[in-house]
Every structure is written in C-alpha cells, then in structure tokens.
Amino acid sequence: MLCAAAMLGLSGCEGASGGRPVTLADLGLPDRYSTDSTAQPPAQAENLAQWWRHFDDPLLDSLIERVGAADSAANGKTGYQQTVKRIATEAAIARSYVALRTRQAKIENIRAYLAARQDDQAIARFREEAKLVTPLDALQIAADSDRVAAGIPVLEAAIAADAARIAVLTGQPPAALRDQLAPIAPVPVGPAEVAVGAPSDLINRRADVQLAAQRVGRGKIWGGGSSGAVAAYKEVVLQTLEEAENAQTAFAAAKAREAALEKAVDEAEQLAVLARKQYREGLTDHVALQSAERALLGVRDERVGAAADRAAALIDLFTALGGSWEPGANDRRP
C-alpha cells in the first residue's frame, strides 16, 4: 500500500514506495495566479527566509529576529506547528511596528498643521491690527488648532500600546521597548515588486500545507479513506491559494492608491500656499484658508494610511507565500 506521505509529496516516504506527489492538476486546480498576464512561466519565487529584511529597516530586523529559531531543532508535526506559530508572531511584530510608525507619522502631520495655523494666526493678528478683520479670525484659528492638537494624546496612547505589543511578542516586559521605539522613523516601504512564483510553489513553501499533509498521512489514502483524505488536503491548499491571490491584489491596489495620493498631496500643498497668500492679501476669507489647510492635513493622513496599507499588504503577501519557513527545515534531524 502506498503511504499517504508519499502521495502528498512528503520526503519521508516519497520514492520508497514508488509514489508521486499530488499536484495541483490532480486536485483540479490551475498552476497560475489570476494576476499572471503572460503565457510565459512565472519568475522563480523569491527567497523569503528573512522576508522582513526586504523592508530595509534595521530596527524591524532586530525586533523580529529576537523571536529566534525555537523550532530549529524540532522536526515532524511538532516542528511544523512551531514554525506556523513563529511565522504568525513575526508577521504580528511587523504589523504592530507598521502601526506604530503610522501613528508617529500622523502626529508629525498634526504638528505641521499646527505650525501652519500659527502662521495663519500671525497673519490674522496683523490684519486685525490693520482693521481689515475682526478678532474672530484669530480666535477661530486658535480654537481649531486646539481641537486638532487634542488628537495627539490619543495617538501617543496608541503608540505606547503598539510598543507594548511588540515587546510582549518578542518576549519582553510591556514597557521594555518604549525608549527604543520613541524616535520618529518612516513607515517601512519594502520592494515595489515581489516574485511570487507559481501556485504549485506554495505546496512546498507553506509549513501549514506540509502539516496538513502529515495529518492526512496518518490515515489511509487508498480504499475507503482516499476521497476524504485528499478532500481535506485540497481544502488547505485552496485556503493558501486564496490568501496568496488576495495578498497580491491588495498589494497592487495599495501601491496604486499610494501613488494617487502622492499627487493629491502635492496639489493640496499648492492649494494651501495659494489660500494663505490670498488671505494675506485680503483676496479670500479665513474660512477658505482653514478649508485648504484642513484638506491638506486630511490628504497627508490618507497618504500615510496608504503607505501603511501597502506595508501591511506586503507583510500579508510574504506570509501567504510561506513566510520565513524553508522547505524541508522540519524534516532535518539535529
């Protein structure tokens, strides 16, 4: 009888009994992603053993690498389970890090807005002294500034929570990383393109697929249990394909949105400069100036959000493609 591991392509049994791995074709699944636009074979998938290094952020590298290789000496089912857990922890650290940097960027946007409003208030005071406007303009600017500044403590509290989450995920007390993460740094960018390979690569690159194959391998493949065993395995494969497809789509959409918002920020900055000039010259009122300044703050925050979405989509893509697990790692004996 052909053992289940051989049929599902596991190294411990394949070949010994003359079997062959189950392919996507056997499962009735295509070996192309929906995003593949040419008939050419896809480029070889990138090595993601240290996927976080693609973000080129040394602090992020050091945080994720604190997780260590607790599963390096494990093998079989236990090794795969530890690997799946470790990959999830690595992704959670990266997501919390992106969230923290996003909140820092939004605080910087608020501070830039408040600085601009100080300039606006100086103009309003000058025009008030010249009897061109009433004190109402300066008071409205002060009230608006205080209202926007009130958002900073909320963001700071969320940053502290992000830092605590990262610390706990890396095995440290909640407050351990506050000082290290306090300096302002940009949202991680990462590469513009990722070589994802073919869907068939996921069978070997995903530790959870290999774990599913091991579970199926404990039962009978041929005979009465054959259909159910392969169906269970196919369900796991379909889930991994869904994750990979969705991650690619989300990454492409996030890049497009970010590019559009870069242009929108440039346009909003020009509008704000023009509105301030016209207010100084008495060609427009304070309402138009505040509207332009608020629009600029809003689109700057949207751009930061788009950068965060892009980074998060990239993390999801790296994880969907197998994360840091190296095929065969859990079959090696120490």
Side-chain angles (χ1 to χ4, degrees), residues 40-85:
Q40 298 297 321
Q44 183 176 359
E46 293 188 33
N47 183 349
L48 301 178
Q50 293 181 311
W51 57 263
W52 50 88
R53 290 186 173 270
H54 289 275
F55 285 105
D56 196 24
D57 188 318
L59 181 52
L60 177 61
D61 296 345
S62 66
L63 291 170
I64 291 181
E65 286 163 12
R66 284 186 65 97
V67 175
D71 59 334
S72 60
N75 53 66
K77 175 186 173 185
T78 300
Y80 288 122
Q81 289 174 330
Q82 290 179 355
T83 297
V84 170
K85 181 179 179 181

Short mmCIF file of all heavy atoms in Angstrom, two decimals, residues 40-85:
data_model
loop_
_atom_site.label_atom_id
_atom_site.label_comp_id
_atom_site.label_asym_id
_atom_site.label_seq_id
_atom_site.Cartn_x
_atom_site.Cartn_y
_atom_site.Cartn_z
N GLN A 40 4.13 33.19 -20.44
CA GLN A 40 5.46 32.77 -20.03
C GLN A 40 5.43 32.18 -18.62
O GLN A 40 4.62 32.59 -17.78
CB GLN A 40 6.43 33.96 -20.06
CG GLN A 40 6.61 34.57 -21.45
CD GLN A 40 7.23 33.58 -22.42
OE1 GLN A 40 8.13 32.83 -22.05
NE2 GLN A 40 6.76 33.59 -23.66
N PRO A 41 6.32 31.22 -18.34
CA PRO A 41 6.40 30.67 -16.98
C PRO A 41 6.73 31.79 -15.99
O PRO A 41 7.51 32.69 -16.30
CB PRO A 41 7.54 29.65 -17.07
CG PRO A 41 7.65 29.32 -18.52
CD PRO A 41 7.27 30.57 -19.26
N PRO A 42 6.16 31.76 -14.80
CA PRO A 42 6.44 32.82 -13.82
C PRO A 42 7.89 32.77 -13.35
O PRO A 42 8.53 31.73 -13.37
CB PRO A 42 5.48 32.48 -12.66
CG PRO A 42 5.21 31.02 -12.80
CD PRO A 42 5.23 30.74 -14.27
N ALA A 43 8.38 33.95 -12.94
CA ALA A 43 9.75 34.02 -12.40
C ALA A 43 9.84 33.19 -11.13
O ALA A 43 8.86 33.00 -10.41
CB ALA A 43 10.12 35.47 -12.12
N GLN A 44 11.03 32.69 -10.88
CA GLN A 44 11.24 31.88 -9.68
C GLN A 44 10.91 32.70 -8.44
O GLN A 44 11.26 33.88 -8.34
CB GLN A 44 12.69 31.40 -9.61
CG GLN A 44 12.97 30.49 -8.42
CD GLN A 44 14.39 29.96 -8.44
OE1 GLN A 44 15.15 30.24 -9.35
NE2 GLN A 44 14.73 29.17 -7.45
N ALA A 45 10.21 32.08 -7.51
CA ALA A 45 9.81 32.78 -6.30
C ALA A 45 11.03 33.22 -5.49
O ALA A 45 12.05 32.55 -5.46
CB ALA A 45 8.92 31.87 -5.44
N GLU A 46 10.89 34.38 -4.84
CA GLU A 46 12.00 34.91 -4.05
C GLU A 46 12.21 34.08 -2.79
O GLU A 46 11.31 33.44 -2.27
CB GLU A 46 11.72 36.37 -3.66
CG GLU A 46 11.71 37.32 -4.83
CD GLU A 46 11.62 38.77 -4.38
OE1 GLU A 46 12.16 39.09 -3.31
OE2 GLU A 46 11.02 39.58 -5.11
N ASN A 47 13.45 34.16 -2.29
CA ASN A 47 13.78 33.53 -1.02
C ASN A 47 13.27 34.43 0.11
O ASN A 47 13.71 35.58 0.24
CB ASN A 47 15.30 33.34 -0.90
CG ASN A 47 15.69 32.60 0.37
OD1 ASN A 47 14.88 32.42 1.28
ND2 ASN A 47 16.94 32.19 0.44
N LEU A 48 12.35 33.94 0.90
CA LEU A 48 11.74 34.74 1.94
C LEU A 48 12.15 34.30 3.33
O LEU A 48 11.48 34.61 4.32
CB LEU A 48 10.21 34.67 1.82
CG LEU A 48 9.63 35.16 0.49
CD1 LEU A 48 8.12 34.99 0.49
CD2 LEU A 48 10.01 36.60 0.22
N ALA A 49 13.28 33.60 3.44
CA ALA A 49 13.73 33.11 4.74
C ALA A 49 13.87 34.25 5.75
O ALA A 49 13.65 34.06 6.94
CB ALA A 49 15.05 32.36 4.59
N GLN A 50 14.21 35.44 5.27
CA GLN A 50 14.28 36.63 6.12
C GLN A 50 13.50 37.75 5.41
O GLN A 50 14.04 38.80 5.09
CB GLN A 50 15.73 37.05 6.37
CG GLN A 50 16.52 36.04 7.21
CD GLN A 50 17.95 36.49 7.46
OE1 GLN A 50 18.66 36.88 6.54
NE2 GLN A 50 18.37 36.44 8.71
N TRP A 51 12.23 37.52 5.21
CA TRP A 51 11.41 38.44 4.41
C TRP A 51 11.39 39.84 4.97
O TRP A 51 11.26 40.82 4.21
CB TRP A 51 9.98 37.91 4.27
CG TRP A 51 9.27 37.66 5.57
CD1 TRP A 51 9.13 36.47 6.23
CD2 TRP A 51 8.57 38.63 6.37
NE1 TRP A 51 8.40 36.64 7.38
CE2 TRP A 51 8.04 37.94 7.49
CE3 TRP A 51 8.33 39.99 6.25
CZ2 TRP A 51 7.31 38.59 8.48
CZ3 TRP A 51 7.60 40.64 7.24
CH2 TRP A 51 7.09 39.94 8.33
N TRP A 52 11.49 40.01 6.27
CA TRP A 52 11.43 41.33 6.88
C TRP A 52 12.59 42.23 6.44
O TRP A 52 12.47 43.45 6.45
CB TRP A 52 11.43 41.21 8.40
CG TRP A 52 12.52 40.32 8.93
CD1 TRP A 52 13.80 40.67 9.26
CD2 TRP A 52 12.43 38.90 9.15
NE1 TRP A 52 14.50 39.58 9.68
CE2 TRP A 52 13.69 38.48 9.63
CE3 TRP A 52 11.41 37.96 9.01
CZ2 TRP A 52 13.96 37.14 9.96
CZ3 TRP A 52 11.68 36.64 9.33
CH2 TRP A 52 12.94 36.24 9.79
N ARG A 53 13.71 41.63 6.03
CA ARG A 53 14.85 42.42 5.58
C ARG A 53 14.57 43.13 4.25
O ARG A 53 15.30 44.06 3.88
CB ARG A 53 16.10 41.55 5.47
CG ARG A 53 16.62 41.10 6.84
CD ARG A 53 17.94 40.36 6.75
NE ARG A 53 18.47 40.12 8.10
CZ ARG A 53 19.29 40.96 8.75
NH1 ARG A 53 19.66 42.08 8.15
NH2 ARG A 53 19.71 40.68 9.95
N HIS A 54 13.51 42.73 3.55
CA HIS A 54 13.13 43.43 2.32
C HIS A 54 12.62 44.84 2.61
O HIS A 54 12.53 45.66 1.69
CB HIS A 54 12.05 42.64 1.58
CG HIS A 54 12.54 41.36 0.96
ND1 HIS A 54 13.13 41.31 -0.28
CD2 HIS A 54 12.57 40.08 1.42
CE1 HIS A 54 13.47 40.06 -0.58
NE2 HIS A 54 13.14 39.30 0.45
N PHE A 55 12.29 45.13 3.87
CA PHE A 55 11.84 46.47 4.22
C PHE A 55 13.01 47.43 4.50
O PHE A 55 12.79 48.63 4.67
CB PHE A 55 10.94 46.41 5.46
CG PHE A 55 9.56 45.87 5.18
CD1 PHE A 55 9.20 44.59 5.56
CD2 PHE A 55 8.62 46.65 4.53
CE1 PHE A 55 7.94 44.09 5.32
CE2 PHE A 55 7.34 46.17 4.27
CZ PHE A 55 7.01 44.89 4.65
N ASP A 56 14.21 46.89 4.58
CA ASP A 56 15.41 47.72 4.78
C ASP A 56 15.28 48.61 6.02
O ASP A 56 15.54 49.81 5.98
CB ASP A 56 15.69 48.57 3.54
CG ASP A 56 17.11 49.14 3.54
OD1 ASP A 56 17.98 48.56 4.19
OD2 ASP A 56 17.33 50.18 2.88
N ASP A 57 14.86 48.01 7.13
CA ASP A 57 14.68 48.73 8.38
C ASP A 57 15.40 47.94 9.47
O ASP A 57 14.89 46.94 9.98
CB ASP A 57 13.19 48.85 8.71
CG ASP A 57 12.90 49.75 9.90
OD1 ASP A 57 13.63 49.66 10.91
OD2 ASP A 57 11.94 50.54 9.83
N PRO A 58 16.62 48.36 9.85
CA PRO A 58 17.42 47.59 10.81
C PRO A 58 16.72 47.34 12.15
O PRO A 58 16.89 46.27 12.74
CB PRO A 58 18.67 48.46 11.00
CG PRO A 58 18.78 49.25 9.73
CD PRO A 58 17.35 49.53 9.33
N LEU A 59 15.94 48.31 12.62
CA LEU A 59 15.26 48.11 13.90
C LEU A 59 14.19 47.02 13.77
O LEU A 59 14.06 46.15 14.65
CB LEU A 59 14.63 49.41 14.39
CG LEU A 59 13.90 49.34 15.74
CD1 LEU A 59 14.77 48.72 16.82
CD2 LEU A 59 13.42 50.73 16.16
N LEU A 60 13.45 47.04 12.69
CA LEU A 60 12.47 45.98 12.46
C LEU A 60 13.16 44.63 12.37
O LEU A 60 12.67 43.63 12.92
CB LEU A 60 11.69 46.26 11.17
CG LEU A 60 10.67 45.19 10.74
CD1 LEU A 60 9.59 45.01 11.80
CD2 LEU A 60 10.04 45.56 9.40
N ASP A 61 14.30 44.59 11.69
CA ASP A 61 15.07 43.34 11.60
C ASP A 61 15.39 42.80 12.98
O ASP A 61 15.17 41.61 13.28
CB ASP A 61 16.38 43.57 10.84
CG ASP A 61 16.16 43.97 9.39
OD1 ASP A 61 15.04 43.80 8.89
OD2 ASP A 61 17.12 44.46 8.77
N SER A 62 15.93 43.66 13.84
CA SER A 62 16.36 43.21 15.16
C SER A 62 15.19 42.75 16.01
O SER A 62 15.31 41.80 16.79
CB SER A 62 17.13 44.33 15.88
OG SER A 62 16.27 45.43 16.18
N LEU A 63 14.04 43.40 15.86
CA LEU A 63 12.87 43.02 16.65
C LEU A 63 12.35 41.64 16.25
O LEU A 63 12.09 40.79 17.11
CB LEU A 63 11.76 44.06 16.47
CG LEU A 63 12.02 45.44 17.08
CD1 LEU A 63 10.98 46.44 16.63
CD2 LEU A 63 12.07 45.35 18.60
N ILE A 64 12.23 41.41 14.96
CA ILE A 64 11.72 40.12 14.50
C ILE A 64 12.71 39.01 14.79
O ILE A 64 12.32 37.89 15.18
CB ILE A 64 11.38 40.18 13.00
CG1 ILE A 64 10.17 41.08 12.77
CG2 ILE A 64 11.09 38.78 12.45
CD1 ILE A 64 9.72 41.20 11.34
N GLU A 65 13.99 39.30 14.65
CA GLU A 65 14.99 38.26 14.86
C GLU A 65 15.16 37.90 16.34
O GLU A 65 15.80 36.89 16.67
CB GLU A 65 16.31 38.68 14.22
CG GLU A 65 16.22 38.57 12.69
CD GLU A 65 17.29 39.34 11.95
OE1 GLU A 65 18.26 39.80 12.60
OE2 GLU A 65 17.16 39.49 10.72
N ARG A 66 14.56 38.69 17.24
CA ARG A 66 14.55 38.32 18.65
C ARG A 66 13.67 37.09 18.89
O ARG A 66 13.83 36.39 19.89
CB ARG A 66 14.01 39.47 19.52
CG ARG A 66 15.00 40.60 19.75
CD ARG A 66 14.41 41.60 20.73
NE ARG A 66 14.25 40.99 22.04
CZ ARG A 66 15.13 41.11 23.03
NH1 ARG A 66 16.24 41.79 22.85
NH2 ARG A 66 14.90 40.53 24.19
N VAL A 67 12.72 36.88 17.98
CA VAL A 67 11.84 35.72 18.12
C VAL A 67 12.67 34.44 18.11
O VAL A 67 12.34 33.44 18.75
CB VAL A 67 10.79 35.70 16.99
CG1 VAL A 67 9.95 34.43 17.05
CG2 VAL A 67 9.91 36.93 17.09
N GLY A 68 13.80 34.48 17.36
CA GLY A 68 14.72 33.34 17.35
C GLY A 68 14.21 32.20 16.50
O GLY A 68 13.25 32.30 15.76
N ALA A 69 14.88 31.10 16.64
CA ALA A 69 14.55 29.88 15.89
C ALA A 69 14.23 28.77 16.86
O ALA A 69 14.90 27.76 16.95
CB ALA A 69 15.70 29.49 14.98
N ALA A 70 13.15 28.98 17.62
CA ALA A 70 12.78 27.99 18.64
C ALA A 70 12.43 26.65 18.05
O ALA A 70 12.49 25.62 18.71
CB ALA A 70 11.59 28.51 19.46
N ASP A 71 12.06 26.66 16.76
CA ASP A 71 11.67 25.40 16.13
C ASP A 71 12.80 24.79 15.31
O ASP A 71 12.59 23.85 14.58
CB ASP A 71 10.47 25.64 15.21
CG ASP A 71 10.78 26.67 14.13
OD1 ASP A 71 11.65 27.51 14.36
OD2 ASP A 71 10.15 26.61 13.07
N SER A 72 14.02 25.36 15.42
CA SER A 72 15.11 24.91 14.56
C SER A 72 15.51 23.47 14.83
O SER A 72 15.98 22.78 13.94
CB SER A 72 16.32 25.84 14.75
OG SER A 72 16.76 25.82 16.09
N ALA A 73 15.33 23.03 16.07
CA ALA A 73 15.74 21.66 16.40
C ALA A 73 14.57 20.69 16.39
O ALA A 73 14.74 19.51 16.65
CB ALA A 73 16.40 21.65 17.78
N ALA A 74 13.39 21.19 16.09
CA ALA A 74 12.21 20.32 16.08
C ALA A 74 12.01 19.74 14.70
O ALA A 74 12.47 20.26 13.71
CB ALA A 74 10.98 21.12 16.51
N ASN A 75 11.30 18.61 14.66
CA ASN A 75 11.01 18.01 13.37
C ASN A 75 9.62 17.40 13.40
O ASN A 75 8.98 17.34 14.43
CB ASN A 75 12.07 16.96 13.01
CG ASN A 75 12.23 15.93 14.12
OD1 ASN A 75 11.33 15.15 14.41
ND2 ASN A 75 13.40 15.93 14.78
N GLY A 76 9.16 16.97 12.22
CA GLY A 76 7.85 16.34 12.14
C GLY A 76 6.74 17.31 12.48
O GLY A 76 6.85 18.52 12.29
N LYS A 77 5.64 16.76 13.03
CA LYS A 77 4.46 17.55 13.32
C LYS A 77 4.76 18.70 14.27
O LYS A 77 4.35 19.84 14.05
CB LYS A 77 3.38 16.64 13.93
CG LYS A 77 2.13 17.40 14.38
CD LYS A 77 1.17 16.49 15.10
CE LYS A 77 0.01 17.28 15.68
NZ LYS A 77 -0.88 16.44 16.49
N THR A 78 5.51 18.43 15.35
CA THR A 78 5.83 19.48 16.32
C THR A 78 6.59 20.62 15.65
O THR A 78 6.32 21.80 15.90
CB THR A 78 6.65 18.91 17.48
OG1 THR A 78 5.90 17.88 18.12
CG2 THR A 78 7.00 19.99 18.48
N GLY A 79 7.53 20.28 14.80
CA GLY A 79 8.31 21.30 14.11
C GLY A 79 7.44 22.18 13.23
O GLY A 79 7.59 23.41 13.22
N TYR A 80 6.51 21.59 12.48
CA TYR A 80 5.63 22.37 11.63
C TYR A 80 4.73 23.27 12.47
O TYR A 80 4.49 24.44 12.12
CB TYR A 80 4.77 21.45 10.75
CG TYR A 80 5.55 20.78 9.64
CD1 TYR A 80 5.60 19.39 9.53
CD2 TYR A 80 6.24 21.54 8.69
CE1 TYR A 80 6.31 18.78 8.52
CE2 TYR A 80 6.95 20.93 7.68
CZ TYR A 80 6.99 19.55 7.59
OH TYR A 80 7.70 18.95 6.59
N GLN A 81 4.21 22.77 13.57
CA GLN A 81 3.34 23.58 14.42
C GLN A 81 4.10 24.77 14.98
O GLN A 81 3.58 25.90 15.01
CB GLN A 81 2.77 22.72 15.55
CG GLN A 81 1.74 21.71 15.09
CD GLN A 81 1.31 20.78 16.20
OE1 GLN A 81 2.08 20.47 17.12
NE2 GLN A 81 0.07 20.31 16.14
N GLN A 82 5.32 24.55 15.43
CA GLN A 82 6.12 25.65 15.96
C GLN A 82 6.44 26.66 14.87
O GLN A 82 6.46 27.88 15.11
CB GLN A 82 7.42 25.10 16.58
CG GLN A 82 7.20 24.33 17.86
CD GLN A 82 8.51 23.80 18.44
OE1 GLN A 82 9.57 23.93 17.82
NE2 GLN A 82 8.44 23.19 19.61
N THR A 83 6.70 26.17 13.67
CA THR A 83 7.01 27.05 12.55
C THR A 83 5.81 27.94 12.21
O THR A 83 5.96 29.15 12.00
CB THR A 83 7.42 26.24 11.32
OG1 THR A 83 8.62 25.52 11.62
CG2 THR A 83 7.67 27.15 10.12
N VAL A 84 4.62 27.34 12.13
CA VAL A 84 3.42 28.12 11.83
C VAL A 84 3.21 29.20 12.88
O VAL A 84 2.89 30.35 12.56
CB VAL A 84 2.19 27.19 11.75
CG1 VAL A 84 0.90 28.00 11.67
CG2 VAL A 84 2.31 26.26 10.54
N LYS A 85 3.42 28.86 14.13
CA LYS A 85 3.26 29.83 15.22
C LYS A 85 4.32 30.93 15.11
O LYS A 85 4.02 32.12 15.30
CB LYS A 85 3.38 29.12 16.57
CG LYS A 85 3.21 30.06 17.76
CD LYS A 85 3.30 29.30 19.07
CE LYS A 85 3.16 30.25 20.26
NZ LYS A 85 3.27 29.53 21.55
#
